[in-house]
Amino acid sequence: MKRPSYRMITMIGLCGALLIWCSSNENMDTNTSTVPSEETQSSSYINSESSSATSEESSNSESGESTESSLIPEESSSDSSSNEEPISTELQMDKEKILLPTFSPETVTENIKTNEKNTYTVSYINNQGEILDEVSGTRYGSPEAAEGDLTVGLPNRFFETADVPEGGEDLMSGITGYDIEKGDQKWLIWEDEEWVFNIHSFAGEQLSKRVEARDMITFLYDNPLPVPRSKGIVYLDYEPGGEDVVMVIRWQDEEMVYQVKTTRSSLEALEVTASLKQPSE
């Protein structure tokens, strides 16, 4: 067997080297075309992040505008409901002479019963159509004329403390109560500062008038009535049977006489009266 010549071996080596080099270049081209550059990767991430942030900001903006606009009608509705004119604006009497309650233990409807330059009466009616309170103010020609009419028109006789016999019984806190009986009628009378109180009832009825009087005195410590100039009266008139009661509270303020007439319990009536104020300007 003939051995291959040196020239043949050399040619075979050169051909092998050429094949290896061509294969290497082809692989490099393939890698270059499939792997993105670092700059391309970075740019792609930034664009994606920017797009996501823009989308989130747009979503938040739309949500904010929707919430804000939905609050506006609620606020407008609230403002419009508070613009209802108070009933005092319909009264002819000078506003600085008007007093009306700012509290009621239950929902009531106001109704103007009398409306003149020198007198007004406002009724307060519950949901059953019953008149619970009538609040009025009357202007007289002088303080003396006003004082002279302070006890006129009460359901029964009103006693001043000067009319009662000596003696009496301590109700509480140094306030003395006096009992008067005339026929089948009874009165419990006491005085507290400028106010004179009468509870009128009929004999034989089981009424604890002294307990009611003490409750009223205690209530007025923290809930004072308007200050009279110069006098005020509180009159409870129990009808026969001892269940139904009419309460009249009157006081003089110079030439004015104010009145609250009510069928409420005594403490509710005092609470309504204590809330009377001039209408706000």
Side-chain angles (χ1 to χ4, degrees):
M1 182 176 173
K2 257 185 183 183
R3 289 187 181 179
S5 66
Y6 175 77
R7 181 178 292 181
M8 185 180 292
I9 294 172
T10 303
M11 288 296 293
I12 293 172
L14 288 173
C15 288
L18 180 61
L19 289 172
I20 294 172
W21 181 82
C22 288
S23 177
S24 176
N25 281 344
E26 185 177 356
N27 289 337
M28 289 179 63
D29 290 340
T30 302
N31 291 340
T32 303
S33 63
T34 58
V35 179
S37 67
E38 184 177 353
E39 181 179 355
T40 303
Q41 284 183 321
S42 176
S43 174
S44 175
Y45 174 75
I46 292 171
N47 289 338
S48 174
E49 184 177 40
S50 174
S51 174
S52 175
T54 303
S55 174
E56 183 177 356
E57 180 178 352
S58 173
S59 175
N60 288 342
S61 175
E62 290 176 4
S63 175
E65 289 174 0
S66 175
T67 303
E68 185 176 1
S69 63
S70 72
L71 289 175
I72 291 173
E74 294 179 10
E75 292 177 354
S76 300
S77 174
S78 176
D79 290 340
S80 63
S81 65
S82 63
N83 289 333
E84 185 177 343
E85 291 291 332
I87 199 169
S88 59
T89 60
E90 303 178 34
L91 299 176
Q92 297 181 31
M93 182 172 282
D94 297 337
K95 294 297 179 283
E96 65 271 13
K97 298 294 184 182
I98 296 173
L99 292 178
L100 292 174
T102 58
F103 168 81
S104 175
E106 60 188 278
T107 301
V108 291
T109 301
E110 299 171 309
N111 180 60
I112 296 177
K113 183 178 179 180
T114 307
N115 189 7
E116 299 176 8
K117 188 175 181 180
N118 288 322
T119 185
Y120 69 86
T121 303
V122 179
S123 300
Y124 294 84
I125 306 167
N126 66 10
N127 293 333
Q128 288 73 46
E130 302 169 332
I131 298 176
L132 299 180
D133 312 300
E134 283 190 345
V135 179
S136 62
T138 302
R139 177 162 46 197
Y140 290 80
S142 65
E144 291 76 19
E147 184 177 0
D149 267 7
L150 199 58
T151 59
V152 172
L154 292 175
N156 282 287
R157 179 176 175 180
F158 185 85
F159 285 93
E160 304 281 356
T161 50
D163 300 329
V164 299
E166 294 183 1
E169 181 181 339
D170 182 63
L171 292 175
M172 63 179 300
S173 303
I175 295 175
T176 303
Y178 301 90
D179 290 299
I180 293 179
E181 291 190 26
K182 289 188 176 295
D184 63 346
Q185 301 182 66
K186 295 181 177 181
W187 287 260
L188 173 63
I189 303 139
W190 75 94
E191 187 173 10
D192 190 353
E193 296 184 351
E194 299 92 347
W195 289 88
V196 180
F197 297 78
N198 276 207
I199 299 179
H200 169 260
S201 61
F202 288 85
E205 296 171 0
Q206 300 300 316
L207 290 173
S208 183
K209 294 184 293 181
R210 274 176 168 68
V211 172
E212 185 169 15
R214 293 186 185 104
D215 289 342
M216 293 170 66
I217 294 168
T218 300
F219 178 84
L220 290 174
Y221 282 151
D222 297 321
N223 305 271
L225 295 175
V227 179
R229 304 174 191 175
S230 56
K231 187 171 65 173
I233 65 171
V234 176
Y235 190 87
L236 280 78
D237 184 51
Y238 281 96
E239 297 180 5
E243 295 182 1
D244 296 328
V245 62
V246 175
M247 189 167 179
V248 178
I249 304 173
R250 288 182 191 167
W251 66 100
Q252 177 193 357
D253 187 350
E254 297 180 350
E255 77 279 9
M256 291 290 301
V257 171
Y258 297 99
Q259 173 176 286
V260 176
K261 185 177 181 180
T262 179
T263 57
R264 296 183 184 275
S265 68
S266 56
L267 295 187
E268 284 187 351
L270 293 176
E271 191 170 11
V272 170
T273 306
S275 77
L276 263 67
K277 289 182 173 52
Q278 287 184 358
S280 58
E281 297 296 335

